């Protein structure tokens, strides 16, 4: 599974986050005041400068606190009007056009159609909305200064703080409106694009092989490049098997001798699972505890591997498993990587036989263990397994899940690979309890809320830059901040020298002199200078990475596309982070505008 | 009395600098000015003499290089002074995508005026400007003069005590100009203070109580319009109803002093003459400027 980041509970995250925030904001504020005082001191002496700085800060405090809602409302309204004049509608038209074209090349018959469709609409929406937010916010104030329309505004009793806040709120309102409409259109687009049904007639069905003539089996018609297997009890009722992550409801009507089969719309395609994760550790082939499994030389070491036909196992420990929460048993969902050392003789890739695995339940206190399921694992296919309340041990006893296997709400699930010389790869998020599903619609909306968070951040940055830069420069700076934010983790690694090939200057020399990335640089002045510049640059990058918001972490597109509920804790964290970022941005924008000579 | 001084500048100086901090233009040099409650003060000067710069400094749109300006005793950087000010910029810098009503309503909101008051003021001002027929049209469809009128309406939305007008009559037709002057006089009669910049001498002569003449950033002349236009070393006598004897006596007095009677009384010059002479003198003797107030402080003239 892709959702790898663990979400810390708010009680731990919030205090540390707050501390970090106070350190960064406090440091920046202190530096700003110091620079302000120094500049003033150069002009008019240290004592006068102290008085001036004090006056500026006091005035700033007043301007930030005494904000009039009516004025902010008027300025927001103006920003909305301005956006409309700037033809925001065009963006919406472009969006619709993109969807129309996408209708042609998005293949609903692909392996993961929901993933494809959802990633597409979320990505398209976020690019369009972010670009729009960028241009609107960073061109607005410079335009007003250039047209001098700001002269008429600032000669009213308007505080610079109100101008900044009005802009931010106005563009946010406009963006929100657009985002809501795009979200609705996207939802309809996804549902309609994936919607299909199959036909099934009596001629498709034959008596099932291993049944006493009381079951029929067959396959539905081929739509969106797949067919479903169907098993029908002669007594009535039937089952449609999962294919491409969905199934259909089957209704059977008798009309005289003949049965008419009807399949409904796809089900289970658009979901929002609420996973309960456990802690993973491994047992090596001799059954001893191991931090990690075997490394099979994969380039990506995210998963660890357990060897088949040995005592090696991946063990997930779950807490808080109570009868009240899971009255019928444990629904487990697992996705495992199957690493083959040999392949069966198969010509049709669809028919590669799966590899057998077992799931066992163990009581962590008493050590009682019972094998609950033998299943066929297919590479990276997501399987839902159900562990029932009553389990049979090898020696014929019947155990109750909650009485015998769960101790104080804690239970272990053991995964083993059965055939020798085959491997299973697993990581912590690969197996979870699928407690229940949340509403997909709500989750979809949460995905759009993620875009909204990013949009608000971009608007804040755009307005900030527009208070002291001219239009085109502000656009470029905002774009830079957006890209920097998207790659802030990479920048942080660059700053700490973790990236192979050195910092930007060293990498540039390597590029020009056509050296590879790992060889030692030959010593000399050039190298020394480049590496020293890289150190300086490193601090800059480090500062940028510390200050810029990590835009990627606000994107919930993967959650929605892979069908996982976005946890409220994560949403709350993001909301806090947006607020934490906007607050100093707002204050900084205020001071920049306040100190700007509007008529220059 | 100190309290009736509405606008005050002390040693106000502005140097425009370029991006690198190099000096470009000294637009205003040590200006000392006072405008009192209830008067119409005209700031006169040729193009580029620093009139607009002065007004922008007063409003805090520009920051002074040195010196200080006070309005109602408050510093230019204090937004609270704006509550009682109306400002008509050189050109009307208004949002062209708004219509007349939206424009006035918007600026009304910026004064934190409640809705009912805004409505009332908007209606009155649009009627006053004679734009009732175009109240719902976007300003981009307006003619220059119409925009100018909305600009003036916007400056009056808060019923200000001090009105700063930068070239109020540009772009107006003769009727509009007349109406503007009448409006200015009426506002003065309502007790408001008006500071206007202009290089249109006829306008200034008609309405201003006091004027200051700027040239190259320096204040060259300052005083009441009527006294400035009086030529003090010439006496003009025109009389009727004097009998022959009386006229002879006057003539004799004049002849005794080696004079020659033309007519009697103080003639007035036109403002245009005064203006042109001051500018010419200023060019001949750059750097000379008036400070204080009143006729006694005038530059002597030949
Ligand atoms: N933004 C600016 N940057 C540099 N110089 C400027 C700027 N604005 C004005 N100046 C200069 O300052 C001087 C005074 O200009 P100002 O606009 O105050 O003149 P003015 O008296 O209003 O003239 P006009 O009658 O043409 O409106 C001029 O020399 C002008 O070139
Ligand atoms: Mg001017």
């Amino acid at each position: 599974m892709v959702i790898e980041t663990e979400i810390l509970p708010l009680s731990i995250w919030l205090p540390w986050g707050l501390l970090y925030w106070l350190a960064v904001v406090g440091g920046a504020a202190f530096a700003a005041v110091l620079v302000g005082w120094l500049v003033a001191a150069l002009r008019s002496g240290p004592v006068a400068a102290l008085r001036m700085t004090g006056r500026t800060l006091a005035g700033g405090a007043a301007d930030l606190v005494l904000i009039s809602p009516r004025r902010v409302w008027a300025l927001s309204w103006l920003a909305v009007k301005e956006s409309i004049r700037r033809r925001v509608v065009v963006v919406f038209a472009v969006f619709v056009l993109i969807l129309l074209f996408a209708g042609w090349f998005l293949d609903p018959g692909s392996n993961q159609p929901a993933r494809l469709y959802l990633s597409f609409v979320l990505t398209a929406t976020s690019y369009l909305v972010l670009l729009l937010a960028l241009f609107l916010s960073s061109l607005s104030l410079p335009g007003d200064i250039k047209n001098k329309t700001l002269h008429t505004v600032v000669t009213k009793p308007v505080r610079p703080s109100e101008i900044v806040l009005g802009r931010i709120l106005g563009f946010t309102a406009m963006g929100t409106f657009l985002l809501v409409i795009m979200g609705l259109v996207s939802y309809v687009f996804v549902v309609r694009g994936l919607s299909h049904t199959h036909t099934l007639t009596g001629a498709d069905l034959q008596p099932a092989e291993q049944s006493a003539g009381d079951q029929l089996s067959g396959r539905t018609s081929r739509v969106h490049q797949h067919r479903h297997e169907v098993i029908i009890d002669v007594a009535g009722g039937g089952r449609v098997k999962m294919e491409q992550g969905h199934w259909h409801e089957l209704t059977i009507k008798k009309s005289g001798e003949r049965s008419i089969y009807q399949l409904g719309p796809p089900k289970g395609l658009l979901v929002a699972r609420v996973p309960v994760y456990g802690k993973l550790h491994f047992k090596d082939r001799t059954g001893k505890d191991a931090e990690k499994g075997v490394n099979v030389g994969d380039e990506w070491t995210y998963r660890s591997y357990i060897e088949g036909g040995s005592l090696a196992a991946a063990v997930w420990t779950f807490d808080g498993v109570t009868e009240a929460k899971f009255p019928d048993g444990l629904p487990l969902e697992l996705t495992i990587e199957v690493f083959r050392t040999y392949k069966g003789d198969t010509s049709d890739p669809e028919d590669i036989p799966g590899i057998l695995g077992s799931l066992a339940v163990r009581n962590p206190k008493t050590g009682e263990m019972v094998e609950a399921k033998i299943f066929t694992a297919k590479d990276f296919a997501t399987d839902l397994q159900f562990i029932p309340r009553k389990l049979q041990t090898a020696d014929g006893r019947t155990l109750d899940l909650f009485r015998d296997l769960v101790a104080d709400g804690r239970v272990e699930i053991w995964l083993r690979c059965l055939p020798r010389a085959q491997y299973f790869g697993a990581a912590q998020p690969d197996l979870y309890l699928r407690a229940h599903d949340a509403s997909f619609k709500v989750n979809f909306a949460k995905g759009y809320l993620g875009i909204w968070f990013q949009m608000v951040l971009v608007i804040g940055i755009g307005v900030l830059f527009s208070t002291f830069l001219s239009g085109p420069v502000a656009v470029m700076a905002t774009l830079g901040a957006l890209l920097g934010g998207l790659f802030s983790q990479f920048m942080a690694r660059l700053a700490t020298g973790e990236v192979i090939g050195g910092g930007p200057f060293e990498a540039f020399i390597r590029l020009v002199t056509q050296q590879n990335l790992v060889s030692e640089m030959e010593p000399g002045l050039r190298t020394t200078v480049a590496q020293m510049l890289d150190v300086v640059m490193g601090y800059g990058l480090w500062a940028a990475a510390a200050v810029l918001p990590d835009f990627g972490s606000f994107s919930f597109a993967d959650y929605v596309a892979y069908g996982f509920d976005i946890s409220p804790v994560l949403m709350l964290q993001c909301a806090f982070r947006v607020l934490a970022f906007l607050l100093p941005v707002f204050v900084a924008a205020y001071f920049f505008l306040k100190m700007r000579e509007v008529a220059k | 009395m100190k309290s009736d001084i509405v606008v005050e500048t002390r040693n106000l100086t502005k140097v425009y600098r370029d991006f690198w901090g190099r000096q470009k233009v000294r637009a205003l040099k040590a200006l000392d000015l006072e405008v009192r409650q209830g008067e119409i003060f005209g700031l006169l000067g040729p193009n580029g003499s620093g009139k607009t710069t002065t007004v922008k400094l007063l409003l805090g749109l520009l920051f002074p290089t040195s010196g200080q300006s006070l309005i109602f005793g408050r510093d230019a950087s204090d937004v609270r002074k704006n509550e009682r000010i109306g400002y008509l910029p050189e050109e009307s810098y208004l949002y062209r995508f708004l219509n007349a009503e939206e424009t006035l309503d918007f600026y009304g909101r910026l004064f934190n005026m409640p809705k009912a008051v805004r409505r009332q003021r908007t209606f009155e001002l649009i009627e006053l400007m004679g734009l009732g027929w175009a109240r719902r049209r976007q300003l981009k469809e307006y003619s220059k003069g119409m925009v100018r009128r909305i600009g003036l309406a916007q400056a009056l939305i808060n019923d200000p005590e001090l009105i700063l007008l930068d070239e109020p009559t540009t772009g107006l037709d003769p009727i509009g100009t007349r109406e503007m002057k009448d409006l200015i006089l009426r506002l003065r009669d309502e007790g408001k203070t008006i500071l206007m910049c202009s290089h249109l001498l006829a306008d200034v002569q008609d309405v201003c109580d006091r004027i200051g003449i700027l040239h190259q950033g320096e204040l060259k002349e300052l005083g009441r319009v009527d006294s400035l236009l009086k030529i003090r070393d010439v006496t003009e006598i025109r009389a009727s109803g004097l009998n022959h004897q009386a006229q002879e006596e006057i003539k004799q007095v004049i002849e005794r002093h080696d004079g020659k009677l033309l007519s009697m009384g103080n003639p007035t010059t036109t403002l245009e003459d005064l203006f042109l002479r001051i500018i010419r003198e200023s060019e001949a003797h750059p750097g000379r400027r008036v400070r204080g107030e009143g006729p006694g402080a005038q530059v002597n003239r030949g």
Side-chain angles (χ1 to χ4, degrees):
Chain A
M1 242 330 294
V2 278
I3 314 299
E4 291 139 18
T5 41
E6 248 185 291
I7 302 163
L8 289 173
L10 224 51
S11 55
I12 298 176
W13 178 85
L14 200 57
W16 284 109
L18 214 58
L19 219 62
Y20 176 77
W21 183 80
L22 281 176
V24 172
V25 172
F30 180 74
V33 171
L34 197 69
V35 168
W37 176 78
L38 275 175
V39 171
L42 281 181
R43 285 221 202 111
S44 36
V47 181
L50 212 59
R51 208 168 39 235
M52 279 159 75
T53 314
R55 197 148 10 99
T56 308
L57 288 180
D63 278 350
L64 290 171
V65 174
L66 302 173
I67 285 177
S68 139
R70 192 180 270 134
R71 280 197 281 267
V72 173
W73 165 246
L75 290 159
S76 311
W77 171 84
L78 185 77
V80 169
K81 275 266 178 185
E82 185 196 320
S83 331
I84 294 170
R85 185 191 60 99
R86 282 187 194 263
R87 307 259 183 275
V88 168
V89 187
V90 172
V91 174
F92 182 68
V94 168
F95 179 69
V96 171
L97 224 71
I98 289 178
L99 287 192
L100 286 179
F101 277 106
W104 285 343
F105 65 78
L106 285 183
D107 177 13
S110 72
N111 238 338
Q112 303 280 358
R115 207 172 283 182
L116 186 70
Y117 268 69
L118 290 169
S119 306
F120 178 78
V121 289
L122 282 159
T123 314
T125 311
S126 67
Y127 281 150
L128 277 179
V129 169
L130 292 189
L131 274 183
L132 176 77
L134 190 154
F135 279 106
L136 280 184
S137 60
S138 51
L139 288 178
S140 169
L141 260 181
D144 262 17
I145 289 174
K146 208 169 149 205
N147 302 332
K148 305 190 177 171
T149 37
L150 198 60
H151 294 196
T152 322
V153 173
V154 296
T155 47
K156 305 284 179 277
V158 175
R159 298 167 194 274
S161 47
E162 291 162 340
I163 295 178
V164 170
L165 193 62
R167 286 280 186 304
I168 293 181
L169 291 184
F171 293 134
T172 301
M174 193 68 225
T176 309
F177 176 71
L178 203 67
L179 205 54
V180 167
I181 294 192
M182 281 174 155
L184 291 175
V185 171
S186 303
Y187 184 78
V188 172
F189 175 77
V190 169
V191 170
R192 290 196 47 169
L194 298 178
S195 159
H196 67 279
T197 187
H198 305 260
T199 55
L200 182 71
T201 62
D204 298 325
L205 297 168
Q206 270 133 29
E209 266 175 34
Q210 292 157 333
S211 73
D214 56 350
Q215 280 192 338
L216 298 172
S217 79
R219 291 163 96 185
T220 64
S221 64
R222 193 178 194 79
V223 178
H224 286 182
Q225 292 166 36
H226 69 276
R227 351 169 87 173
H228 296 266
E229 270 182 48
V230 187
I231 295 169
I232 291 171
D233 292 326
V234 174
R239 219 149 53 80
V240 179
K241 283 206 173 162
M242 284 281 250
E243 201 64 53
Q244 290 190 355
H246 71 276
W247 54 285
H248 300 263
E249 215 149 272
L250 177 66
T251 49
I252 306 171
K253 275 189 216 142
K254 293 272 183 218
S255 96
E257 276 300 283
R258 283 180 38 221
S259 297
I260 298 169
Y261 304 99
Q262 234 169 3
L263 279 84
K267 288 215 156 183
L269 201 51
L270 300 174
V271 290
R273 305 176 185 87
V274 181
V276 175
Y277 291 107
K279 280 256 173 284
L280 173 66
H281 70 276
F282 291 92
K283 299 281 177 189
D284 67 12
R285 50 176 307 154
T286 59
K288 285 214 279 298
D289 274 331
E291 182 85 352
K292 282 198 163 182
V294 191
N295 192 341
V296 291
D298 202 321
E299 67 286 346
W300 200 41
T301 52
Y302 167 63
R303 289 196 163 74
S304 269
Y305 294 84
I306 49 173
E307 191 181 338
S310 77
L311 289 174
V315 182
W316 280 268
T317 311
F318 291 96
D319 280 316
V321 178
T322 59
E323 195 169 353
K325 258 198 236 164
F326 304 96
D328 304 322
L330 297 180
L332 284 182
E333 200 156 62
L334 77 163
T335 313
I336 44 184
E337 186 186 350
V338 177
F339 185 82
R340 293 159 188 278
T341 49
Y342 58 87
K343 297 233 183 337
D345 76 306
T346 49
S347 45
D348 179 2
E350 264 191 37
D351 288 339
I352 291 181
I355 288 184
L356 287 183
S358 83
L359 284 172
V361 186
R362 180 176 176 272
N363 186 323
K365 220 175 193 173
T366 62
E368 177 99 61
M369 175 137 116
V370 56
E371 191 156 83
K373 275 270 147 75
I374 304 281
F375 65 98
T376 328
K378 283 198 172 178
D379 204 11
F380 285 125
T382 302
D383 255 336
L384 189 61
Q385 301 290 349
F386 196 78
I387 305 220
R389 281 288 300 257
K390 301 277 174 239
L391 291 160
Q392 292 278 328
T393 61
D395 52 11
R397 286 178 297 136
T398 305
L399 298 181
D400 180 76
L401 184 66
F402 289 102
R403 205 186 55 223
D404 301 317
L405 296 166
V406 177
D408 304 331
R410 173 172 287 198
V411 66
E412 288 178 6
I413 305 288
W414 290 51
L415 169 74
R416 282 199 172 108
C417 175
L418 296 182
R420 289 177 61 95
Q422 305 282 30
Y423 294 84
F424 281 168
Q428 187 154 296
D430 284 348
L431 188 147
Y432 48 84
L433 302 178
R434 185 168 168 184
H436 64 277
D437 282 2
S439 150
F440 172 76
K441 282 182 193 160
V442 172
N443 206 38
F444 188 75
K446 286 185 194 165
Y448 274 77
L449 193 56
I451 302 178
W452 187 85
F453 284 144
Q454 298 177 58
M455 177 192 84
V456 176
L457 289 175
V458 169
I459 289 174
I461 297 174
V463 169
L464 171 63
F465 283 132
S466 73
T467 53
F468 61 95
L469 296 173
S470 71
V473 185
V475 168
M476 292 314 293
T478 313
L479 193 64
L482 178 58
L483 294 179
L486 283 173
F487 299 113
S488 72
Q489 280 167 0
F490 176 72
M491 289 202 313
R493 283 193 299 136
L494 207 62
T496 50
E498 279 174 43
V499 175
I500 299 167
F505 289 99
E506 188 181 325
F508 179 74
I509 290 185
R510 285 182 194 273
L511 196 73
V512 175
T513 57
Q514 298 187 332
Q515 291 183 50
N516 67 28
L517 288 178
V518 283
S519 62
E520 253 329 277
M521 295 280 285
E522 62 183 272
L525 184 65
R526 196 179 59 187
T527 306
T528 316
V529 168
Q531 285 174 347
M532 265 164 58
L533 283 176
D534 277 342
V535 170
V536 174
M537 186 90 171
Y539 282 112
L541 284 174
W542 174 81
V547 167
L548 287 176
D550 174 8
F551 279 96
S553 69
F554 290 96
S555 166
F556 304 142
D558 280 350
Y559 284 87
V560 179
Y562 283 80
F564 283 86
D565 185 51
I566 305 161
S567 92
V569 177
L570 182 63
M571 306 288 293
L572 218 57
Q573 268 187 25
C574 288
F576 272 121
R577 286 169 51 204
V578 169
L579 212 63
F581 184 77
L582 281 187
L583 218 62
V585 160
F586 168 56
V587 174
Y590 158 74
F591 275 107
F592 280 126
L593 189 59
K594 171 103 185 156
M595 286 186 281
R596 175 145 187 186
E597 224 173 348
V598 171
K600 186 118 187 198
Chain B
M1 253 209 306
K2 197 80 183 155
S3 62
D4 69 340
I5 292 177
V6 176
V7 178
E8 187 183 2
T9 70
R10 294 186 200 137
N11 207 20
L12 195 62
T13 303
K14 178 68 191 176
V15 178
Y16 284 105
R17 293 177 192 279
D18 67 4
F19 179 79
W20 307 106
R22 286 177 306 199
Q23 182 168 327
K24 263 204 314 208
V25 189
R26 288 173 64 84
L28 200 61
K29 298 166 197 165
L31 177 70
D32 289 315
L33 205 65
E34 279 176 3
V35 178
R36 299 203 188 87
Q37 162 84 48
E39 71 176 352
I40 303 177
F41 186 90
L43 209 49
L44 272 164
N47 293 133
S49 56
K51 306 183 293 289
T52 301
T53 303
T54 308
V55 171
K56 284 179 176 170
L57 284 167
L58 288 173
L59 286 164
L61 286 169
L62 291 172
F63 303 154
T65 308
S66 67
Q68 199 187 13
S69 69
L70 297 170
I71 291 186
F72 301 118
R74 291 186 196 280
D75 190 78
S77 61
D78 190 339
V79 286
R80 281 172 299 174
K81 71 180 190 309
N82 295 350
E83 299 272 2
R84 299 151 75 188
I85 297 180
Y87 168 50
L88 174 66
E90 218 166 355
E91 285 163 41
S92 303
Y93 304 125
L94 303 171
Y95 293 99
R96 294 164 52 80
F97 50 87
L98 301 181
N99 67 34
E101 281 184 345
E102 288 170 334
T103 303
L104 295 185
D105 193 66
F106 169 68
Y107 291 112
R109 275 179 210 267
L110 295 187
F111 281 103
N112 222 344
M113 286 158 59
K115 190 176 173 109
V117 180
R118 285 196 318 262
R119 270 242 188 85
Q120 174 72 16
R121 288 294 293 170
T122 302
F123 180 81
E124 282 171 9
L125 286 168
I126 290 180
E127 289 305 315
L128 180 67
M129 297 300 148
L131 288 172
W133 54 280
R135 59 174 72 230
R136 292 274 157 76
R137 280 168 63 183
Q138 289 193 333
L139 298 195
K140 65 175 167 225
E141 299 171 12
Y142 272 33
S143 75
K144 194 173 159 197
M146 287 161 74
V147 177
R148 198 80 191 134
R149 287 162 195 246
I150 289 298
L152 182 64
Q154 152 296 119
L156 298 178
I157 189 85
N158 59 328
D159 196 13
E161 291 164 46
L162 168 67
I163 305 159
L164 301 166
L165 305 169
D166 199 344
E167 315 212 348
T169 54
T170 45
L172 294 181
D173 56 25
I175 300 168
T177 307
R178 186 69 256 163
E179 283 170 356
M180 172 69 85
K181 289 190 217 169
D182 291 345
L183 180 67
I184 292 173
L185 290 170
R186 213 176 70 213
L187 288 169
R188 193 255 324 260
D189 294 342
E190 287 171 19
K192 306 194 185 309
T193 313
I194 291 151
L195 191 159
M196 59 183 273
C197 306
S198 188
H199 45 227
L200 294 177
L201 303 167
D203 299 350
V204 176
Q205 189 167 11
D206 285 357
V207 299
C208 288
D209 300 320
R210 281 196 318 135
I211 55 168
I213 296 182
L214 276 176
H215 184 228
Q216 293 172 347
E218 287 171 343
L219 191 63
K220 298 292 181 187
E221 184 67 277
L222 187 69
R224 295 198 59 80
V225 175
D226 42 17
S227 60
L228 282 178
L229 297 186
K230 234 175 241 164
I231 305 172
R232 278 171 200 285
D233 51 4
V234 175
T235 309
E236 191 174 89
I237 300 170
R238 287 181 80 206
S240 68
L242 290 181
N243 58 21
H244 186 71
Q245 196 190 346
Q247 288 182 12
E248 279 306 309
E249 277 178 31
I250 291 169
K251 266 187 196 155
Q252 278 166 14
V253 172
I254 291 171
E255 271 162 17
R256 210 165 49 231
H257 292 278
D258 295 330
K260 187 167 168 250
L261 179 70
L262 304 172
S263 65
M264 237 176 203
N266 287 124
T268 54
T269 171
T270 63
L271 185 56
E272 187 173 346
D273 285 336
L274 174 73
F275 184 78
L276 291 176
R277 199 184 62 238
I278 287 174
I279 299 306
R280 247 181 264 124
E281 270 174 21
S282 160
E283 271 161 5
H285 311 278
R288 199 187 289 177
R289 69 174 85 110
V290 289
R291 277 174 178 273
E293 280 279 324
Q298 285 162 34
V299 184
N300 72 321
R301 51 182 78 112

